[in-house]
Amino acid sequence: MTENDRIPKAVDWLAKARLGGGPTERLPDELMPVTEAEGYALQARLNAHLTQAGFGPVVGHKIGCTTPVMQDYMKIDHPCAGEIFATMEFHERADVQIDLYHRIGIEVEIGALLSHELVADGPFDRDNVGGYVEAIMPAVELVDDRYADWRSLPMPMLVADNFFNSGAVLGAPVLNWEGIDLPGIAGSLYIDGEEAGTGTGADILGHPFEALAWLANLRQQQGCPLQAGEFVLLGSVVKTVHFDAPARCVADLGELGCVEVNFL
């Protein structure tokens, strides 16, 4: 099978669940991305397809596996990135219909809104990447386990499919964030008033901007740098919680504020 045949077949396979099909089965070996780089290349092709299918342009990014709790849960020891579409961006509160997803879940995140394109002569790090951040905000990532058995899938396939992402709920931006102790931010998830998980900004690779620098370097190397006006979810400070029944969820990120999601 030639590359011209293989890539469109892989895109169609991964897009099926996103476009109303059943759970995604493991890609056949001849379509499976073998390396992480191949996974990201397939992600770019899939996302162009989904944009044309009505998801809208990419407006944001997610970074998975940046905290010990999520690395342990996923059994992946390094960050993985995905992209988020315009039709999946919500603000401050979202009402989410459970039956529109395969197995919907929630994660509590620190988000960053970007002020400039992230292009530089040298590598980004936690110290210089802050100069590209317009605001910090509380956020929730909506994640969908759209797989027949995600634990059986290799990491490059999960990367190709945007690493479970199905949307983002962004809280009010905090513009004067420079005086905030980002590693010290405490995040908690409450489900129907009961605490379901906690964590801190320091859980995100030691500092949330370490995750942002990692993504900025990755996307610059790939030739698709992060853009002004885009947002980045830097990683979940609590373990993913999935829902199959109605629930009211509040992500409380202390001085950053709160985000609410109602699963219906």
Side-chain angles (χ1 to χ4, degrees):
M1 184 181 300
T2 68
E3 190 75 0
N4 287 339
D5 294 329
R6 189 175 71 85
I7 295 299
K9 288 181 181 296
V11 166
D12 288 342
W13 188 283
L14 294 175
K16 189 183 300 182
R18 305 296 294 271
L19 299 174
T24 301
E25 302 285 348
R26 180 187 175 95
L27 277 164
D29 289 344
E30 65 270 19
L31 302 181
M32 181 71 73
V34 176
T35 66
E36 199 165 345
E38 289 178 359
Y40 282 113
L42 181 53
Q43 180 189 105
R45 294 288 294 272
L46 171 66
N47 290 353
H49 178 80
L50 293 175
T51 289
Q52 291 299 315
F55 283 40
V58 169
V59 294
H61 307 262
K62 63 81 56 82
I63 314 175
C65 291
T66 61
T67 61
V69 67
M70 290 306 300
Q71 289 182 355
D72 180 67
Y73 177 55
M74 295 295 300
K75 307 305 179 189
I76 297 174
D77 64 1
H78 63 280
C80 298
E83 296 182 325
I84 305 171
F85 301 93
T87 54
M88 298 176 180
E89 178 184 350
F90 306 92
H91 293 273
E92 300 195 37
R93 168 181 166 159
D95 293 329
V96 177
Q97 199 76 26
I98 293 172
D99 61 7
L100 296 180
Y101 300 85
H102 294 272
R103 182 170 174 250
I104 191 64
I106 192 173
E107 296 178 355
V108 176
E109 309 260 345
I110 296 172
L113 180 64
L114 305 179
S115 58
H116 300 83
E117 181 184 39
L118 273 81
V119 174
D121 293 332
F124 291 100
D125 57 39
R126 74 160 71 170
D127 295 320
N128 63 25
V129 79
Y132 297 79
V133 175
E134 178 179 345
I136 298 292
M137 51 198 161
V140 156
E141 182 182 2
L142 300 174
V143 293
D144 191 11
D145 176 6
R146 44 186 171 260
Y147 308 101
D149 178 15
W150 72 263
R151 291 190 181 278
S152 71
L153 303 179
M155 180 267 295
M157 178 175 166
L158 296 174
V159 164
D161 198 24
N162 291 295
F163 214 71
F164 297 91
N165 182 264
S166 282
V169 188
L170 308 177
V174 178
L175 296 173
N176 298 315
W177 57 266
E178 289 85 351
I180 296 176
D181 175 19
L182 296 180
I185 290 173
S188 298
L189 174 62
Y190 294 92
I191 302 174
D192 293 329
E194 298 291 326
E195 186 176 271
T198 63
T200 69
D203 294 334
I204 303 173
L205 301 180
H207 191 293
F209 281 176
E210 289 285 1
L212 181 57
W214 173 84
L215 182 62
N217 289 325
L218 174 71
R219 293 309 193 191
Q220 180 169 254
Q221 291 163 8
Q222 294 172 340
C224 50
L226 303 178
Q227 298 295 310
E230 294 180 337
F231 64 86
V232 181
L233 305 183
L234 301 173
S236 181
V237 299
V238 304
K239 182 180 174 180
T240 308
V241 179
H242 291 277
F243 296 86
D244 57 12
R248 177 179 180 269
C249 301
V250 175
D252 184 346
L253 282 122
E255 61 188 305
L256 290 185
C258 297
V259 172
E260 181 177 337
V261 179
N262 293 307
F263 290 102
L264 309 175

